Amino acid sequence: MKSFAPVVILIAMFLIIACAAYASPPTAHMAEFTVTGAPNNQDLKLTLHGILASRLNLDLVQLVEKPDQADLLVIGSYAKFGKMFSLDVLIKNRESNKLTKVFEQGEGEEDIIPALGRLAQKIDAELAKRSAITKPATTTAAAVVVPALPTPATTAVLAVPFLPPPYVTRSEPSAKETPGVWLSAPLEGVYSSIATGRTLSSGELELFVANDRTIRAYLKSSELRLVAEVTIPLPGKILAIDTADLDRDGIPELYVSIIDRETPSSRIYSFNGTVFSLLSENQIWFFRGIGTDIASRTIFAQEVATGGKFYGTIKELVKSDHHFTTKNVQGLPHTGNIFNCIKLNGASGKDYYVVLDEAGYLVVYSPEGTEAWKSSEKFGGSEGIVTTGAHGHSRITGDLVRWTFLEQRLTQLKNGTLLVPHNEGSFSFGNNRSFDKYSLFGLTWNGSVFKEKWRTRQSPGYLADYTYSQASGEVVLLEVVQKSGMFNKGKSVISINRIE
């Protein structure tokens, strides 16, 4: 009997492994779309591929890069006939050679994204059928009785809950689509910063986006409508935008951090719903808004020292008519600056500073300024960079200028959760970074360590910026879905998602 026991244990382990293998979703490779009858074929191939991939249910399929790694091959095509178009997908089972076809039709460019959402739902339905067919039937062993093993805790299988996929198409209200989730049509160009304004009585939301030189104001309802734009003079470069209503007059101000020949030259605009009005220019500060509601948001300001180094303090900005001053000087940790640092209100009443350092690690500093905790995983990840003069710095590093990455925003929600983005990509070396997938993390601070509360599924694209509204519980994401190149300007999209 002693020699029989190991055999029984091996059989039990084999059955457990086999069941786990069946539980994992099939792998699939999505080939590049073929496009017929539409201009900009190459751009559209990449855009269609990325948008459809982001909408598939990752509980039902695991996407892989190479066809030989896949159980299924997904082959898509787009054909345009006048105003009408057809999206067709062929799903091939590599083992059985069985073919499954699904399609969606639509009219006009504005229906392409909703059609991709409907197409993804049909693909998910086919994948669910396949999962039901391949799921093994439960059997009972009659000949061998295996001693009962301790049942593992369910938290060992899934330690962290996942939010729904960050994008689900909702260009127009539909019972087929997820409530509270919306995605814009692609915007031509690569945008780097986003801010929200007022929610009007019509239900429309003011949205502001910026690239290196231009700020655009949109109204968002079922789709985006361009209202106004303003361009800054060369050689200035926009680093970030933030909104607030410091004088509480109901008209939002737009705080624009600008670098001009390695020196801050920031601007402040007001926006009355139709036009931008310049309130102040050539400001010596960079700005960052803290707070999840525009009416109560605080704008902090920070100067840049001679040599390009950020000062170790920030100040609260005060608006009086068209004049701006500062008050309430606050010291930052030695690795913190206005773009990578946030004050965390701890449960014990103590205020901690959280810094996203140059390497991507979260570092918590105690009220006394000492390092209290550092993450073992990397977060953040930004392609935005600012160069400032660094004559003293160059003697140490050999660089003629100081390079500083404009790290991702850190946002503390009302329940204390810290919202932290994470970009990943094909390479990140030195001052060269390229990211093509992202996710959002919700972390909670217990006074000693940060614990992961939830995370979103990883999505394709580079998350350039985001903002969060406490009132609606929605996060507004600015995503770059196509990088700019020699022959194209790139593409960006705005998505709005609810965090419960």
Side-chain angles (χ1 to χ4, degrees), residues 63-182:
L63 297 179
V64 294
E65 294 184 2
K66 298 180 180 180
D68 57 5
Q69 299 172 335
D71 303 317
L72 306 171
L73 298 179
V74 181
I75 304 166
S77 66
Y78 169 89
K80 183 179 179 183
F81 308 94
K83 294 183 178 181
M84 299 295 296
F85 66 84
S86 178
L87 290 162
D88 298 82
V89 166
L90 182 68
I91 305 172
K92 180 180 179 181
N93 189 315
R94 295 182 68 238
E95 182 178 352
S96 65
N97 287 324
K98 180 182 177 181
L99 301 178
T100 303
K101 298 179 181 180
V102 292
F103 71 92
E104 264 297 329
Q105 295 180 183
E107 181 177 355
E109 292 184 356
E110 67 277 3
D111 193 38
I112 293 177
I113 295 179
L116 285 167
R118 299 192 298 269
L119 183 66
Q121 291 176 352
K122 290 184 177 181
I123 295 174
D124 289 343
E126 293 297 330
L127 294 172
K129 292 179 185 177
R130 181 185 186 277
S131 176
I133 294 173
T134 57
K135 187 176 180 180
T138 303
T139 58
T140 303
V144 179
V145 178
V146 181
L149 298 175
T151 303
T154 55
T155 53
V157 180
L158 182 59
V160 180
F162 286 86
L163 291 181
Y167 326 101
V168 177
T169 304
R170 195 168 187 261
S171 292
E172 294 181 0
S174 170
K176 297 180 180 179
E177 297 161 341
T178 303
V181 182
W182 178 89

Side-chain angles (χ1 to χ4, degrees), residues 28 46 50 52 56 65 75 106 175 194 197 207 235 239 241 284 331 367 377 384 399 433 460 465 487 489 492:
L46 297 173
L52 181 60
L56 295 179
E65 294 184 2
I75 304 166
I194 191 168
L207 288 172
L239 303 180
I241 60 174
I284 61 173
E377 297 182 42
D399 289 339
R433 295 184 179 184
D465 196 12
F487 302 107
K489 297 180 180 179
S492 306

Side-chain angles (χ1 to χ4, degrees), residues 63 67 80 110 145 194 228 258 260 272 343 415 424 449:
L63 297 179
K80 183 179 179 183
E110 67 277 3
V145 178
I194 191 168
I258 299 172
D260 186 342
N272 66 1
K343 181 186 285 187
N415 62 4
E424 296 183 69
V449 299

Side-chain angles (χ1 to χ4, degrees), residues 326-354:
T326 58
K327 66 177 184 179
N328 297 339
V329 178
Q330 301 180 26
L332 294 181
H334 68 281
T335 59
N337 63 60
I338 198 167
F339 295 117
N340 74 348
C341 188
I342 187 174
K343 181 186 285 187
L344 186 71
N345 300 317
S348 62
K350 294 183 178 180
D351 291 334
Y352 294 82
Y353 276 107
V354 183

